[in-house]
Amino acid sequence: MESHNKTVTSICVGRIGKDFGEESNQFRIMSVGLDGYLKVFDYGSLKVTHSMRFPAPLLSVGYSPDCATRVIGTSNGVIYAGKRKVKEKEREKESESSLFWRVAPVENTEKKVLRPSQFRYFHRGQGEKPSEGDYLVMKPKKVKLAEHDKLLNKFRHGEALVSVLESKNPGNVLAVIEELVARRKLLKCVSNLDLEKLEMLLVFLHKYCTVPRYSSLLMGLTKKVLEMRADDIRASEALKSHVRNLKRSVEEEIRVQQSLQEIQGIISPLLKIAGR
């Protein structure tokens, strides 16, 4: 017992080797102590043949009835169980130390209480399956933002305007323009457009400025664009062509509106007479 630095807490005797033959009479004494060491002694000479260190003070040790398994108990409630390594007939004779055991901790059967300081505390219950009758609250799906929405979130207003113009979706273009008006960045974005992007904007205005659902906003924007970029338009034949097309569309819309007003002036007296 002098091999232990602290108090010896448990001792047991067991047989090692084969179940028959000369090795069947070999015995070993195992002792454990508060120093965390497992000591194995030869039964005849009482010399230490094997030693093993554990991370906690050891309180008990025991053999299974067939001496094939040994179990060690620690002060923190963890149990270590090891099974003796079995030799195969094809292998050469191994050393005596190889007849001892590989140590593996036995899982604690007690359910540990999770605390807020532990990471798993905030993920508790996620792996539980609902039982019959439970009301399921589904997690809302993440909305996938369009490219222009991502640019607006990053306050890259000019790139957002160009991106939405390239999509050629009038609803999205109007939404981005209204957002830029609310942020007071629309005129600055228009003034910073290069000739290629300005041509793209003029094509969009020519196509949708006379549409009734968009005209209230686009007519005012068209006027501002022509005033701010007049010099660039005069210097480019392509921009001049788009402006001429835009002018023809506006004139055509004015003629249509005048014709509708004339028809309304004819129909209104008839409707009044019919209503008497």
Side-chain angles (χ1 to χ4, degrees):
M1 301 301 101
E2 295 178 356
S3 300
H4 288 276
N5 298 326
K6 293 185 179 181
T7 305
V8 177
T9 55
S10 181
I11 297 176
C12 72
V13 179
R15 178 173 53 83
I16 67 170
K18 300 179 180 179
D19 295 335
F20 55 89
E22 296 180 357
E23 296 182 1
S24 62
N25 295 324
Q26 295 183 13
F27 291 87
R28 293 291 183 267
I29 301 173
M30 286 199 306
S31 64
V32 294
L34 297 179
D35 56 359
Y37 276 96
L38 163 69
K39 302 286 185 177
V40 182
F41 300 87
D42 182 76
Y43 187 79
S45 62
L46 295 181
K47 293 182 179 180
V48 176
T49 61
H50 191 73
S51 179
M52 187 176 296
R53 170 69 170 160
F54 289 85
L58 307 180
L59 300 181
S60 60
V61 62
Y63 271 114
S64 63
D66 59 355
C67 294
T69 305
R70 64 103 182 91
V71 180
I72 299 173
T74 63
S75 60
N76 57 9
V78 178
I79 297 175
Y80 293 90
K83 192 172 183 180
R84 188 173 63 193
K85 184 177 179 181
V86 180
K87 294 193 299 181
E88 297 181 2
K89 294 181 180 181
E90 295 80 9
R91 294 183 181 178
E92 297 179 356
K93 186 177 180 181
E94 298 178 348
S95 62
E96 184 179 286
S97 59
S98 65
L99 298 175
F100 278 88
W101 313 273
R102 295 180 179 177
V103 178
V106 177
E107 295 184 359
N108 193 356
T109 56
E110 297 182 2
K111 189 175 182 180
K112 295 183 179 179
V113 179
L114 296 177
R115 299 180 180 179
S117 60
Q118 298 172 335
F119 177 75
R120 291 179 58 193
Y121 176 84
F122 300 96
H123 292 269
R124 63 191 189 281
Q126 293 189 4
E128 297 292 333
K129 294 184 179 180
S131 58
E132 187 176 357
D134 288 346
Y135 179 76
L136 298 180
V137 179
M138 304 302 294
K139 185 178 180 180
K141 294 183 179 180
K142 187 177 180 180
V143 180
K144 186 176 182 180
L145 297 178
E147 184 65 24
H148 57 270
D149 289 328
K150 295 178 182 178
L151 294 172
L152 285 175
N153 290 340
K154 297 177 182 178
F155 300 98
R156 295 159 63 178
H157 304 107
E159 296 179 21
L161 179 59
V162 173
S163 175
V164 76
L165 286 173
E166 291 175 349
S167 67
K168 299 180 181 180
N169 188 325
N172 292 340
V173 175
L174 264 292
V176 171
I177 291 175
E178 290 175 352
E179 180 64 24
L180 293 177
V181 170
R183 299 186 185 189
R184 299 181 180 180
K185 297 293 183 180
L186 179 60
L187 297 182
K188 183 177 180 180
C189 293
V190 172
S191 62
N192 293 333
L193 292 176
D194 57 19
L195 295 181
E196 183 180 354
K197 302 300 187 298
L198 180 60
E199 182 179 359
M200 191 185 306
L201 178 60
L202 290 176
V203 170
F204 175 81
L205 294 175
H206 165 240
K207 188 173 182 180
Y208 294 102
C209 69
T210 56
V211 178
R213 58 188 300 186
Y214 305 138
S215 59
S216 59
L217 176 62
L218 295 184
M219 281 297 182
L221 176 60
T222 302
K223 183 179 179 181
K224 287 290 184 181
V225 171
L226 295 177
E227 291 175 356
M228 294 174 59
R229 305 301 298 269
D231 295 337
D232 296 327
I233 294 173
R234 293 192 190 98
S236 174
E237 291 296 330
L239 296 181
K240 286 182 181 180
S241 175
H242 291 300
V243 171
R244 285 194 292 268
N245 295 335
L246 178 61
K247 182 179 179 180
R248 282 196 294 269
S249 298
V250 173
E251 290 175 349
E252 181 65 24
E253 182 66 20
I254 291 174
R255 286 195 295 270
V256 172
Q257 294 293 336
Q258 290 176 347
S259 300
L260 292 176
Q261 287 181 351
E262 293 175 359
I263 294 173
Q264 184 179 9
I266 296 172
I267 295 177
S268 294
L270 298 177
L271 295 176
K272 291 182 179 180
I273 295 174
R276 294 177 181 176

